Amino acid sequence: MKFTKPLLVFVFTCQACLVSSAQGVGGLNQSSDPSVFETWVRTNSLRDFNENEGIVGELYLFENWTNGAVNLIGGTSFKNLNLRYNIYTDELIVKKEGLTKPIILEKNKIKSFTVVDPTSLEELTFTVQKVNNSNVFVQTIYLDKTGLFLQKSTKLIAADNNSQAYGSGQQFDKYVEDNKYYLKDKNSSELKEIKLKKSDVFSILNKKDLLNAYVKTNKLKIKNQDHLVKLLKYYDSL
């Protein structure tokens, strides 16, 4: 993904689902209900990479805006939106005809959102889930009695400034993939973080003898997401 000079994305109010601030934002129309405003305001740098700016890597789920829909808590839905999901800040950005600027939607008002993968044309669903006492967007990989979820994320690795004895030689700050998987057992509502490995999965699920036999018979590799989904489908059938 390429980055250019920063283009600040200011937050505007849009019904009760927007993130904004009650103070300090020039030209912002105030709401009669201060509770619709959050005390924090985030800005997103929509820019192409420039070597002089010193950052490379992926900041968004997809490089370009993609079609999608947002479902709010309470049942209200908005369809045919242009969405962009910032996986670094875990924020959903929308632009729509009639809005002068893109806006950041308030996560605590969102139940789920869907976006269309521009390459595969597959519809991806993300829900808001509680993880370690924080609300995060997670992609639903599999959901029946058990659930497998993926948090798309990236982290920033600082450039090597030669301050350490053994430098990495990395010339620029870099965003690198830092995805996390979560598993929910059918007897619990808690999402537990796992690595895609047998020991992590079996530490959460029951009937380990049956599962182990199924893995061996079907030559499943738990590090393969599709293989893990196949195992979970079997587990839910027991």
Side-chain angles (χ1 to χ4, degrees):
M1 175 180 177
K2 295 184 176 180
F3 297 90
T4 56
K5 294 181 179 179
L7 169 63
L8 297 180
V9 180
F10 293 97
V11 182
F12 283 77
T13 59
C14 176
Q15 299 181 356
C17 62
L18 306 185
V19 172
S20 192
S21 172
Q23 299 177 350
V25 182
L28 179 65
N29 294 324
Q30 300 296 322
S31 168
S32 59
D33 181 3
S35 67
V36 302
F37 297 102
E38 296 294 327
T39 58
W40 51 271
V41 175
R42 304 266 180 99
T43 59
N44 293 267
S45 296
L46 306 180
R47 52 195 178 93
D48 292 331
F49 170 65
N50 184 307
E51 287 188 347
N52 295 327
E53 294 170 351
I55 301 179
V56 297
E58 296 296 338
L59 186 60
Y60 296 94
L61 179 63
F62 302 122
E63 183 173 359
N64 299 312
W65 296 90
T66 185
N67 184 264
V70 176
N71 301 306
L72 302 182
I73 295 173
T76 303
S77 297
F78 299 99
K79 299 181 180 180
N80 298 318
L81 300 175
N82 285 316
L83 299 176
R84 209 172 189 202
Y85 175 32
N86 187 320
I87 60 176
Y88 180 67
T89 60
D90 197 35
E91 292 174 327
L92 184 63
I93 310 166
V94 61
K95 67 176 181 179
K96 188 173 175 57
E97 184 178 353
L99 298 176
T100 57
K101 295 285 186 179
I103 53 177
I104 301 173
L105 300 184
E106 185 181 349
K107 189 185 300 176
N108 292 338
K109 295 278 196 304
I110 299 174
K111 180 180 180 181
S112 66
F113 73 88
T114 59
V115 289
V116 177
D117 185 323
T119 301
S120 67
L121 301 182
E122 178 185 4
E123 187 176 82
L124 308 180
T125 299
F126 292 79
T127 60
V128 177
Q129 299 287 342
K130 184 77 71 175
V131 175
N132 297 325
N133 297 318
S134 297
N135 286 332
V136 299
F137 289 124
V138 294
Q139 181 185 348
T140 305
I141 303 300
Y142 170 76
L143 184 59
D144 194 349
K145 297 175 184 177
T146 59
L148 179 65
F149 305 93
L150 172 62
Q151 182 183 3
K152 304 287 290 186
S153 182
T154 188
K155 62 182 178 181
L156 183 63
I157 304 298
D160 176 19
N161 57 11
N162 298 317
S163 61
Q164 300 180 3
Y166 299 97
S168 65
Q170 181 172 297
Q171 187 176 1
F172 304 110
D173 288 347
K174 183 179 182 180
Y175 292 110
V176 296
E177 187 178 89
D178 187 35
N179 295 336
K180 297 178 178 65
Y181 281 93
Y182 299 96
L183 183 61
K184 182 183 75 66
D185 190 12
K186 53 188 173 184
N187 298 315
S188 172
S189 60
E190 181 183 1
L191 271 65
K192 296 182 179 180
E193 184 176 352
I194 62 166
K195 303 292 186 183
L196 293 190
K197 58 182 183 179
K198 184 177 175 180
S199 59
D200 278 22
V201 174
F202 278 36
S203 70
I204 297 174
L205 304 181
N206 298 314
K207 302 180 180 179
K208 294 176 179 55
D209 290 342
L210 291 174
L211 294 180
N212 197 47
Y214 187 81
V215 167
K216 290 182 178 179
T217 300
N218 292 275
K219 299 179 179 180
L220 300 182
K221 304 290 185 182
I222 302 302
K223 64 181 180 180
N224 182 302
Q225 178 181 288
D226 292 337
H227 285 200
L228 177 54
V229 169
K230 184 175 181 178
L231 178 64
L232 293 178
K233 288 180 178 180
Y234 170 71
Y235 178 68
D236 283 342
S237 72
L238 296 176

